[in-house]
Amino acid sequence: MPSPSFETAYAQGAFADFFQLAPKDTAAALELPRPVPRAALTAALGRSAEKLGAPEAALRNLERLAHPGSRVVVTGQQTGLLLGPLYTLSKAVTAIALAKRLSSEARPVVPVFWLASQDADSAEIDHSYLLDLRERLHRPALPLPEGVCAGRIPLPEAWLEALLCDLDALEVPEPYRREVGALLQRTAARAQSFSEWFGALLYELLGPAGLVVLDPMACDTAALFRPVLEAELAAPLRSVTAIGAAGAQLRRLGWTPQLGRGAGATNLFVEEAGQRRLLRVDGDGFRTERAHYTAAELRERLEHDPCALTPAAGLRPVTQDAVLPTAATVVGPGELRYFAQLRGVYEAHGVAMPLIWPRASVTVLEPPVRRILDKFGLSARELQRDFDGVMGETLLALHGHKAAFDESLAALKRHALELTRHASNIDPTLSGTVARAEARLTSVFGTLAKKSAAALSARDDLYTRQFGRLRAHLLPNGAPQERVLSPFSFFLKFGVQSVVEAFLALPPEGEHEVRF
């Protein structure tokens, strides 16, 4: 039996020492002390919301955030082109649904989306993937500068025009193409930076459901993080040491740590000539590849430009929860692993660690995919977990061969058990030899079954085409759909509102299918 995933182990309470709250303990999460700069926060978010075109429902939630007992459910993501992969939408609607579940008149709970506008990995955000009606995978991309924070990248009109030209090459219904084009134009007109465009899109799509967007590169918002950043400058290796200790403990338990830092590395970046560069400890000061700084010089830079210093992944959640009254943070599987190393960082800064809530997972099933799955009695999830194995077993069954393989393998196991009993009666040490022989024969049977399925596939054009379509939709580029395709892939085929409404109807946990 395979070992449980990190997420499953977390849900089962296997990492109690690494998190402040037990999984799903929402009652305790709502009671976490949150002494945050509420008035300054709501004022800063309000100015950003007005600039990005937030609708009335989002503005009402900002008013609720001003309530002294309010809490938030926060999530976030890199500001990828066309909202990046589909799980961006899944994370946002998970936060909305969980906030709605927890909210009350006495204690309003507001969903917040943190734009990763401080991120500078352009190779991860400069493109998106779209699958058209002819099942051709398109990769529109923009020439983002490398090493520049997304919030510092301007949004020239030529980029929008180039993107709209890329969309013209897709085989999609013309009314939906026009709808998407108008959406992109409206939101781009409100944005000055690449990341602000992402925020404007979120406000238009999910603002009516009450989502509030936080841009940490907005100057008046960034100024709120200064106490955490200055505390980090005062003890720059404290958080790194805590992360390393948690990583060592995870390794002892058999898990690979997600976060690590080289010698002298801190959890801070400094902006130099427009580039985001890691700060390292150097004697009683700091250095990058280009320059040396004293702590006083860095504090002065922060005073004049609150965006000059930005946190690394090992500090960013703490800056977030030092200014937001966070009850729960919605995360993906990879983020869950690095949060497991952050409890000591929260404690070092005197910030309560929120409840960590794994996001809902969503796969969209288009009509041809739905029909093929129903025909074969398959689920999208089982194909995404082992496509070739499931396809092979299905082809063997369709051609009447699976039963023979299963019966032969069952007979082998029966004979092996009988042989083991006989051998153990003769000499108990021989049972291991029999078990190894059984394992080798089982492997041979498995290889034979795979080769037989491949032979059937090669001569069966109809089934091969149908499974090829399933692979194109469910595992584009060899990865699960939600990690590759943009939500715009579906906006362009089914309309923006129908897709958004389908996602908003989902509960904030579990694995789901959205069928069109």
Side-chain angles (χ1 to χ4, degrees):
M1 180 179 293
S3 300
S5 67
F6 194 92
E7 190 170 348
T8 299
Y10 168 74
Q12 295 170 346
F15 303 112
D17 292 342
F18 296 87
F19 296 91
Q20 184 173 334
L21 300 179
K24 298 205 170 182
D25 191 352
T26 54
L30 290 170
E31 296 299 327
L32 287 173
R34 289 297 184 199
V36 298
R38 200 177 295 268
L41 173 67
T42 53
L45 294 182
R47 287 187 286 273
S48 176
E50 183 178 355
K51 176 182 179 182
L52 297 180
E56 184 60 31
L59 298 177
R60 284 198 302 272
N61 262 351
L62 274 173
E63 293 175 1
R64 294 187 180 100
L65 187 57
H67 185 289
S70 70
R71 294 293 184 266
V72 305
V73 174
V74 63
T75 192
Q77 187 56 37
Q78 289 175 304
T79 58
L81 180 64
L82 298 179
L83 296 184
L86 187 63
Y87 61 67
T88 298
L89 189 57
S90 301
K91 291 170 84 172
V93 299
T94 298
I96 291 168
L98 182 58
K100 184 177 180 181
R101 178 185 292 179
L102 300 181
S103 192
S104 65
E105 187 174 342
R107 176 170 280 157
V109 181
V110 175
V112 173
F113 195 101
W114 176 289
L115 302 181
S117 56
Q118 297 166 325
D119 188 87
D121 193 343
S122 64
E124 293 189 7
I125 63 173
D126 65 359
H127 64 279
S128 65
Y129 287 98
L130 306 169
L131 191 70
D132 70 9
L133 291 174
R134 293 176 61 184
E135 290 161 354
R136 298 177 301 177
L137 190 63
H138 298 256
R139 186 185 181 275
L142 296 177
L144 303 189
E146 181 59 47
V148 179
C149 293
R152 300 285 205 195
I153 299 175
L155 183 65
E157 188 175 339
W159 285 4
L160 174 62
E161 293 172 357
L163 180 59
L164 294 176
C165 285
D166 285 339
L167 299 188
D168 285 340
L170 275 66
E171 184 73 28
V172 294
E174 190 57 32
Y176 297 144
R177 190 203 316 275
R178 289 197 298 269
E179 179 188 20
V180 165
L183 168 66
L184 294 174
Q185 289 173 318
R186 280 196 309 275
T187 51
R190 301 173 193 145
Q192 291 180 308
S193 70
F194 182 75
S195 60
E196 283 185 346
W197 190 16
F198 189 106
L201 281 168
L202 281 179
Y203 265 133
E204 176 131 356
L205 297 170
L206 298 175
L211 186 70
V212 171
V213 174
L214 188 154
D215 182 358
M217 289 293 283
C219 285
D220 48 359
T221 305
L224 303 177
F225 311 136
R226 187 173 172 184
V228 171
L229 298 177
E230 290 187 337
E232 194 73 8
L233 285 173
L237 297 181
R238 181 178 54 178
S239 62
V240 173
T241 301
I243 289 168
Q249 189 177 352
L250 285 172
R251 194 175 283 108
R252 286 193 293 272
L253 295 175
W255 300 95
T256 301
Q258 191 83 351
L259 293 176
R261 276 284 183 262
T266 72
N267 268 315
L268 293 170
F269 288 88
V270 64
E271 192 173 45
E272 293 178 336
Q275 297 285 302
R276 189 176 188 237
R277 301 187 190 279
L278 180 67
L279 278 173
R280 296 181 182 275
V281 172
D282 184 19
D284 58 356
F286 301 85
R287 64 174 172 83
T288 66
E289 296 172 356
R290 296 167 53 105
H292 182 276
Y293 303 93
T294 65
E297 288 171 334
L298 292 172
R299 286 194 296 270
E300 185 178 356
R301 285 201 64 183
L302 263 181
E303 185 175 352
H304 290 94
D305 179 3
C307 297
L309 259 65
T310 52
L315 183 65
R316 191 209 60 76
V318 178
T319 65
Q320 164 190 289
D321 299 324
V323 301
L324 287 174
T326 309
T329 298
V330 173
V331 301
E335 292 168 305
L336 177 64
R337 293 175 74 101
Y338 80 65
F339 265 94
Q341 294 178 248
L342 299 187
R343 183 172 182 175
V345 184
Y346 276 94
E347 291 173 349
H349 284 274
V351 176
M353 188 179 192
L355 174 65
I356 308 303
W357 187 277
R359 65 169 171 82
S361 180
V362 185
T363 300
V364 177
L365 303 184
E366 301 185 28
V369 174
R370 191 181 67 241
R371 289 192 294 269
I372 297 170
L373 290 175
D374 291 346
K375 172 183 176 179
F376 294 136
L378 300 174
S379 75
R381 291 295 176 185
E382 62 181 322
L383 278 165
Q384 288 174 325
R385 290 180 180 124
D386 182 15
F387 190 94
D388 291 332
V390 172
M391 181 179 72
E393 288 195 0
T394 304
L395 289 176
L396 288 171
L398 289 168
H399 289 274
H401 301 296
K402 185 176 186 299
F405 277 93
D406 289 346
E407 290 169 9
S408 298
L409 191 56
L412 172 65
K413 291 183 181 296
R414 287 195 303 271
H415 292 312
L417 284 173
E418 184 178 353
L419 186 56
T420 299
R421 283 195 297 270
H422 284 295
S424 295
N425 288 334
I426 298 169
D427 181 351
T429 64
L430 294 175
S431 59
T433 302
V434 176
R436 288 190 292 273
E438 179 196 359
R440 286 195 296 271
L441 286 172
T442 300
S443 176
V444 169
F445 269 64
T447 300
L448 181 59
K450 289 179 181 178
K451 290 186 175 181
S452 299
L456 290 172
S457 176
R459 72 187 196 199
D460 194 327
D461 289 343
L462 174 62
Y463 291 150
T464 298
R465 286 198 305 272
Q466 290 176 332
F467 274 97
R469 297 188 78 179
L470 292 178
R471 192 188 295 272
H473 285 262
L474 301 177
L475 289 165
N477 268 2
Q481 178 197 94
E482 66 178 356
R483 295 186 171 278
V484 178
L485 296 184
S486 162
F488 279 80
S489 190
F490 306 105
F491 295 164
L492 286 159
K493 296 178 189 175
F494 307 109
V496 173
Q497 199 57 36
S498 63
V499 176
V500 170
E501 288 177 356
F503 271 70
L504 285 171
L506 299 172
E509 62 266 298
E511 297 182 346
H512 308 289
E513 294 178 351
V514 169
R515 293 182 162 227
F516 287 101

